[in-house]
Amino acid sequence: MGNIYLTTRLDYSGQCLTEVPSEVFKFKNLRKLNLSNNNIELLPTELSKLSNLILLDVSHNKISDLRSKFFELQKLKTLIISKNKIKKIPKQIGRLSKLEKLFCSGNLIENLPIEIALLNKLRILNLSNNPIESFPDPILGLSNLDTLYINNLKLKSIPIQQIGQDLQRLKRIYCFNASFEADAQYEKYFELLQREKGNSYRLFKLLSSMKVEQTPIAVIKNDTEKKDNIFIYYSHNEEKYKNEIVSSIEGIRQTGLDISYWVDDKLHSGDDFLVTIKEKLNKASIAIIIVSRSFMASEFIQKIELPALLDAAAEKGTRFLIVVAQKCHFEDTPLGKYQTVKPNTPDNPLNSMTDPEQDLVYYNLIKDIKRKISEE
């Protein structure tokens, strides 16, 4: 045993301990204590005597209760209580005014006390792998929080917009759910976050800036409405190609062919775009997708809109027609299995064609549309 006055760090990890060694309490200047990976069931009140402690790791033990006396460690900055059997965080945790990091994953915690919001220096909070069913509102009071782990909880929704507004310093949020249930009634945008491995902050920021309604993702069916046979999807940098396709469709409609189409410029103010896209795609038998580098580079398209489009298409068998505006590796995406409109290919995009060659693509596109409609 070292000098009790000079020793600032002790490591008792992985020693099959069933209790905290009594000699620990003699080290009055102890700053870091590691008791992880043991069989400790109870933290003694004497721990509160270690008034200089800034880091305490008691993870991977058998602790079920935390005594209120334990929270008199006023200098504590890092508390690691993960992988225990803790069911409740006592309200006294609010006393740890200097706490910056709290790791309590892998316990039996169902909620958090309101006093957690008093931890105004807390930067990192890990709640992963607990049976939490509702997002703990006190988290919204943690104004300095920059990292939040809520992986593998039992949540069906989170207040995305409110988190974005209240936690201005948040830079990392982990929502991946390995037990994700495809048929469960998750809030529609939270479902996207739960599919995202690693830090999903960029996707979270996109979602938090959107209109979010607490409704589950579902393909909306209404067979009594008139169908928009054709759904046109594109990046707005390819507006000119979209306009040519719309003109081609309008032209064939004038011959008496009973078809209609939908593009996102038909959205009305206040519409929830993701719900509307699902509604329109559910009615369509054909989806025309204009792919380009902008289409490929858009995180918004690739992580939000396109998955919704593909899911809805898989639900009802919508057939895709691909128009390639620029050279891009779209064949490496889930769209790669769908046909392009001849002679348009990834190596022969619209922007490298002459006007007559582009006209041939639009002509063949209409032929493909007529053939697919006749097959219905």
Side-chain angles (χ1 to χ4, degrees):
M1 188 165 65
N3 188 300
I4 62 173
Y5 298 106
L6 298 179
T7 300
T8 61
R9 179 181 303 189
L10 289 177
D11 188 349
Y12 287 92
S13 62
Q15 297 188 25
C16 299
L17 301 174
T18 57
E19 60 183 22
V20 179
S22 58
E23 67 262 23
V24 167
F25 310 119
K26 298 177 181 180
F27 295 86
K28 303 301 182 182
N29 291 315
L30 197 63
R31 292 172 60 81
K32 297 183 179 181
L33 176 59
N34 187 350
L35 295 165
S36 65
N37 291 283
N38 284 293
N39 296 310
I40 298 170
E41 296 184 3
L42 183 67
L43 294 178
T45 56
E46 287 84 356
L47 272 176
S48 63
K49 297 178 181 179
L50 302 176
S51 58
N52 290 308
L53 210 60
I54 63 170
L55 183 150
L56 176 61
D57 185 353
V58 293
S59 61
H60 293 268
N61 276 285
K62 297 180 180 179
I63 301 165
S64 58
D65 293 304
L66 296 174
R67 297 180 177 181
S68 59
K69 193 78 172 174
F70 172 74
F71 297 99
E72 293 181 5
L73 298 170
Q74 295 295 308
K75 294 183 180 179
L76 199 64
K77 293 184 177 181
T78 301
L79 176 58
I80 308 172
I81 55 175
S82 302
K83 297 290 184 178
N84 279 285
K85 299 179 180 180
I86 299 168
K87 295 181 179 180
K88 182 179 180 181
I89 302 291
K91 64 181 182 179
Q92 287 80 6
I93 194 169
R95 298 174 183 172
L96 302 180
S97 59
K98 289 184 169 57
L99 196 66
E100 297 178 1
K101 303 175 183 178
L102 176 58
F103 301 88
C104 46
S105 62
N107 280 288
L108 302 173
I109 299 166
E110 295 183 353
N111 51 52
L112 296 179
I114 191 170
E115 287 78 9
I116 204 93
L118 298 175
L119 305 178
N120 54 22
K121 291 190 177 181
L122 197 68
R123 297 187 297 103
I124 300 174
L125 176 60
N126 190 338
L127 296 172
S128 299
N129 296 290
N130 277 291
I132 296 174
E133 296 184 357
S134 298
F135 184 83
D137 289 338
I139 292 175
L140 299 172
L142 300 172
S143 58
N144 282 305
L145 199 69
D146 61 45
T147 304
L148 176 62
Y149 294 84
I150 50 174
N151 311 72
N152 299 314
L153 303 184
K154 294 187 176 182
L155 303 175
K156 292 294 189 293
S157 67
I158 61 173
I160 294 176
Q161 286 185 314
Q162 194 170 356
I163 293 172
Q165 292 168 3
D166 294 350
L167 304 183
Q168 294 290 318
R169 298 193 177 185
L170 193 67
K171 298 299 178 187
R172 288 167 291 275
I173 182 167
Y174 299 83
C175 305
F176 179 71
N177 189 348
S179 302
F180 178 83
E181 300 174 24
D183 296 329
Q185 296 294 291
Y186 296 104
E187 184 272 322
K188 60 180 181 247
Y189 296 150
F190 183 50
E191 176 174 339
L192 298 174
L193 287 170
Q194 289 193 107
R195 295 176 184 268
E196 184 85 352
K197 293 183 178 180
N199 182 13
S200 56
Y201 175 73
R202 291 178 66 184
L203 176 58
F204 170 82
K205 285 297 289 182
L206 284 172
L207 294 172
S208 66
S209 65
M210 292 162 47
K211 177 186 176 185
V212 178
E213 297 178 359
Q214 302 297 314
T215 54
I217 283 187
V219 176
I220 301 173
K221 296 178 170 61
N222 190 340
D223 295 331
T224 64
E225 294 184 21
K226 177 174 169 53
K227 286 190 175 183
D228 290 310
N229 307 79
I230 302 167
F231 179 97
I232 303 173
Y233 187 59
Y234 65 104
S235 164
H236 284 270
N237 287 346
E238 276 59 65
E239 187 88 18
K240 64 178 181 179
Y241 300 123
K242 181 268 292 183
N243 290 339
E244 291 291 344
I245 290 173
V246 168
S247 294
S248 300
I249 295 173
E250 287 287 358
I252 197 63
R253 283 173 48 139
Q254 299 306 315
T255 67
L257 186 64
D258 185 21
I259 60 173
S260 58
Y261 64 91
W262 186 87
V263 290
D264 64 3
D265 55 17
K266 292 185 177 183
L267 279 170
H268 300 295
S269 176
D271 283 352
D272 186 311
F273 88 98
L274 195 56
V275 169
T276 302
I277 283 177
K278 284 180 172 292
E279 288 177 339
K280 298 302 182 181
L281 186 59
N282 189 56
K283 298 173 188 176
S285 58
I286 298 168
I288 300 171
I289 302 179
I290 306 173
V291 296
S292 64
R293 288 191 295 276
S294 296
F295 182 94
M296 294 286 293
S298 171
E299 187 172 26
F300 194 73
I301 288 175
Q302 297 300 322
K303 291 187 175 180
I304 299 176
E305 295 181 309
L306 186 56
L309 186 150
L310 291 168
D311 287 347
E315 178 76 16
K316 70 174 296 289
T318 299
R319 288 167 289 184
F320 288 177
L321 292 173
I322 309 296
V323 175
V324 185
Q326 300 171 324
K327 285 188 176 181
C328 59
H329 293 284
F330 89 91
E331 64 271 21
D332 295 330
T333 75
L335 293 176
K337 64 183 180 181
Y338 297 103
Q339 72 178 82
T340 58
V341 179
K342 297 179 180 179
N344 181 228
T345 66
D347 294 322
N348 189 28
L350 290 176
N351 71 344
S352 67
M353 293 180 172
T354 63
D355 287 346
E357 289 172 334
Q358 288 187 22
D359 286 343
L360 180 59
V361 173
Y362 301 133
Y363 175 79
N364 286 337
L365 175 64
I366 296 302
K367 288 178 63 177
D368 287 343
I369 290 172
K370 292 170 68 176
R371 184 179 69 254
K372 289 182 181 298
I373 289 177
S374 69
E375 292 172 354
E376 293 180 358

